[in-house]
Amino acid sequence: EAQVTQNPRYLITVTGKKLTVTCSQNMNHEYMSWYRQDPGLGLRQIYYSMNVEVTDKGDVPEGYKVSRKEKRNFPLILESPSPNQTSLYFCASSLAGPSFSEQYFGPGTRLTVT
Amino acid sequence: GQQLNQSPQSMFIQEGEDVSMNCTSSSIFNTWLWYKQDPGEGPVLLIALYKAGELTSNGRLTAQFGITRKDSFLNISASIPSDVGIYFCAGQRANAGGTSYGKLTFGQGTILTVHP
């Protein structure tokens, strides 16, 4: 089954404790992206990657890091989480090219930073 | 960063009614998309629009790419209870060479409630 998976689905952590949210897709997609969703703000793009070893900032990259060492994986790293990073996070992937806007989203990771 | 203005923020309608929502931007987009998000899940693509003026249907859903390339609307006809959810518009801009940026900008969402 074609899918985007994220782990963990739920995470409660404390300020300053480094964490990684994993994202994996099995569709051989070149493009992958991370978003955060907050009430009243819709989805905001954090980082995206056009292909392996190619990453770029979205609209809200501060406090986050990403890496793209393999095509299928695109982990999101919070080196020193803060309470304002409490949010619902989505990973997405798509083919590159004219239709790469048609992204497939993962199920989401709900992160709480206390 | 750039955001799209999506309206209305929420709608409460009776089953069978038609629904209309729209998105506007101060910037030109070369692609407009409409997504639906069910509770506890990620957004799912409903309709993608690639040309100014394009009108595309997907079952009871119809979406249009505005002529100015700064707006789009989504209509749902004869709503049913399973239409409940959050609807998002999203836009993608092109660079000077006409290649799409990797950045996708989303609207704030329209929460749709359908009463049986």
Side-chain angles (χ1 to χ4, degrees), chain A residues 52-99:
Chain A
V52 175
E53 302 291 0
V54 180
T55 62
D56 210 344
K57 297 177 181 178
D59 290 321
V60 289
E62 296 78 19
Y64 304 94
K65 283 176 57 177
V66 292
S67 68
R68 187 90 182 274
K69 294 185 171 58
E70 307 165 280
K71 199 172 189 179
R72 63 182 293 127
N73 295 324
F74 190 45
L76 179 69
I77 303 155
L78 285 72
E79 295 271 4
S80 183
S82 62
N84 65 11
Q85 292 178 298
T86 292
S87 187
L88 180 59
Y89 291 86
F90 288 101
C91 179
S93 74
S94 71
L95 292 168
S99 65

Side-chain angles (χ1 to χ4, degrees), chain B:
Chain B
Q2 169 73 36
Q3 273 214 303
L4 300 179
N5 296 312
Q6 185 172 347
S7 65
Q9 284 189 311
S10 60
M11 302 182 76
F12 298 85
I13 62 170
Q14 291 292 131
E15 183 176 358
E17 289 184 4
D18 296 344
V19 172
S20 185
M21 59 191 79
N22 68 81
C23 267
T24 59
S25 171
S26 56
S27 299
I28 288 174
F29 287 96
N30 68 320
T31 303
W32 281 94
L33 306 151
W34 286 92
Y35 285 86
K36 182 193 177 199
Q37 184 180 28
D38 290 326
E41 300 191 10
V44 174
L45 182 68
L46 299 173
I47 293 179
L49 302 157
Y50 298 102
K51 290 183 187 177
E54 180 181 355
L55 185 72
T56 297
S57 292
N58 178 7
R60 293 178 295 106
L61 279 60
T62 302
Q64 184 157 30
F65 191 141
I67 292 290
T68 65
R69 297 168 64 191
K70 293 182 179 181
D71 62 344
S72 177
F73 73 75
L74 174 71
N75 285 343
I76 305 172
S77 63
S79 58
I80 58 178
S82 63
D83 289 335
V84 164
I86 305 177
Y87 291 80
F88 290 102
C89 62
Q92 181 186 51
R93 282 169 284 167
N95 60 21
T99 305
S100 294
Y101 282 122
K103 294 176 72 170
L104 202 60
T105 302
F106 280 78
Q108 303 96 322
T110 295
I111 302 171
L112 179 63
T113 303
V114 180
H115 294 288

